[in-house]
Structures are given as C-alpha cells and as structure tokens.
C-alpha cells in the first residue's frame, strides 16, 4: 500500500473478503498515514458483517454480553473459569446450537456476534467453514485449553482495539458477492 500510495492518491480502501478484519488491522497505520478516509468492507456471510458493525457501533454491549455469557455458562455452573476440556466441548455444543438457531432465523446482532467470536476462538484451528447457503459451520473439536485462556483475557482488549480502528474511518459494510461489489467500485480512481 505504501508503494501504491507513493504513485497515486487514495481516499478509499476496499476489502472484498473482510473475514475477521485482520487485513485492516495490519494496514491501519499505513491507511491513516496516506489519508484514507473511507473503508469499505464486504463479506458473504451476514453474521460476520453484523459482528463488525457491532464492534464499531456497540463495543460496550458486546463486552457486557461476552462477560455475561462466560459468567452464566462457565463460571456460575462450575464455580471456576478454567474447566476441563470435556466440559468446554459441552458448552461449545450449546453455543453452536444457539448460534445455528439464530442463523437459521437470520437474527443477527449482539448475541450472534459474541457467539461468533467465542465459537471462532474455541473452534479447532480457528477457521470456520461457510457453506453455499452462506451459513457458518463450526468443527466439533476445540483448541487446547492454553489457547482458550488467552481468549478469555484478550477478547475485551481485541473488541476495544478493533472498535478504535473502525471508528477512525467512515466505514461502510456490505454483505454481497464480491463480483457485485467490484462492479460498484471498479471505475473509481481513488
């Protein structure tokens, strides 16, 4: 981006395959340094786009729901935060069932966003599968408990970090096929 910006002037950054937003996090300083004002992000899955909208517009509600879910589903029933992997698998199954129920009804918001964050963190390999119908599928296995400990302590910080990044820009969120997005913006020189 630094090389491209040295030869041209850009005020818009478009990411057609946004996923969990790592590309924007990596490019943030360079985009700001080169005067980018608008960030357009797209992902085929509506839950992923809703997650990013919630991070930008409702970070406090996300953090509250995250803490409430951890407290109600892990701490209170088990009287501790760190529980055996077998119990985590049972909790993950409960979360997957709830997520699938909301996904089927296309009810995306704070709850699906936090479930998406938690299930992605617990998901074996961290990578989810998106089916042709755009629904997210999580694996049955979970990461090691070492990874989950980091997740407990880093999630609120990550929400704050991404919210700060997103609020630096005029962000526009799209949930469509990349080729349709490309048609909308392909003739814009900036």
């Amino acid at each position: 981006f630094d090389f491209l910006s040295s030869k041209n002037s850009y005020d818009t950054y478009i990411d057609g395959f946004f996923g969990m937003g790592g590309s924007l996090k990596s490019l943030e300083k360079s985009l700001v340094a080169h005067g980018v004002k608008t960030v357009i992000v797209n992902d085929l899955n509506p839950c992923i786009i809703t997650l990013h909208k919630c991070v930008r517009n409702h970070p406090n509600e996300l953090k509250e729901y995250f803490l409430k879910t951890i407290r109600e589903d892990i701490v209170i029933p088990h009287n501790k935060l760190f529980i055996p992997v077998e119990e985590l698998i049972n909790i993950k199954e409960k979360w997957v069932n709830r997520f699938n129920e909301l996904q089927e009804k296309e009810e995306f918001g704070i709850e699906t966003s936090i479930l998406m964050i938690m299930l992605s963190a617990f998901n074996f390999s961290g990578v989810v599968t998106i089916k042709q119908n755009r629904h997210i599928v999580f694996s049955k296995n979970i990461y090691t408990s070492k990874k989950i400990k980091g997740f407990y302590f880093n999630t609120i910080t990550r929400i704050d970090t991404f919210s700060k990044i997103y609020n630096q820009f005029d962000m526009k969120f799209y949930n469509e096929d990349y080729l349709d997005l490309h048609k909308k913006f392909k003739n814009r020189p900036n």
Side-chain angles (χ1 to χ4, degrees), residues 82-99:
F82 302 109
I83 60 176
V85 171
E86 299 77 25
E87 291 297 324
L88 284 174
I89 291 171
N90 291 336
I91 292 167
K92 180 183 174 189
E93 186 176 334
K94 172 185 171 184
W95 291 343
V96 166
N97 290 338
R98 178 65 179 148
F99 181 85

Side-chain angles (χ1 to χ4, degrees), residues 75-178:
V75 175
I76 291 173
H78 298 92
N79 292 317
K80 56 186 168 184
L81 180 59
F82 302 109
I83 60 176
V85 171
E86 299 77 25
E87 291 297 324
L88 284 174
I89 291 171
N90 291 336
I91 292 167
K92 180 183 174 189
E93 186 176 334
K94 172 185 171 184
W95 291 343
V96 166
N97 290 338
R98 178 65 179 148
F99 181 85
N100 288 339
E101 179 183 310
L102 292 167
Q103 183 173 230
E104 218 32 66
K105 296 178 191 174
E106 296 186 10
E107 293 178 9
F108 303 114
I110 299 291
E111 184 178 11
T112 51
S113 296
I114 283 301
L115 288 171
M116 175 76 187
I117 290 170
M118 295 187 334
L119 289 167
S120 294
F122 279 49
N123 203 48
F124 183 73
S125 84
V127 177
V128 299
T129 303
I130 298 183
K131 298 231 174 199
Q132 272 190 316
N133 66 359
R134 299 182 181 187
H135 285 194
I136 295 173
V137 179
F138 298 94
S139 70
K140 298 252 185 237
N141 296 328
I142 63 169
Y143 259 172
T144 66
S145 54
K146 288 179 186 173
K147 294 269 187 189
I148 292 170
K149 286 179 185 178
F151 160 75
Y152 285 147
F153 297 117
N154 295 328
T155 298
I156 288 178
T157 303
R158 286 182 58 85
I159 291 170
D160 285 338
T161 298
F162 276 88
S163 180
K164 182 181 173 213
I165 291 169
Y166 293 177
N167 280 291
Q168 291 182 88
F169 302 102
D170 174 22
M171 295 232 0
K172 299 187 182 349
F173 301 90
Y174 288 85
N175 169 227
E176 54 191 64
D177 186 281
Y178 172 74

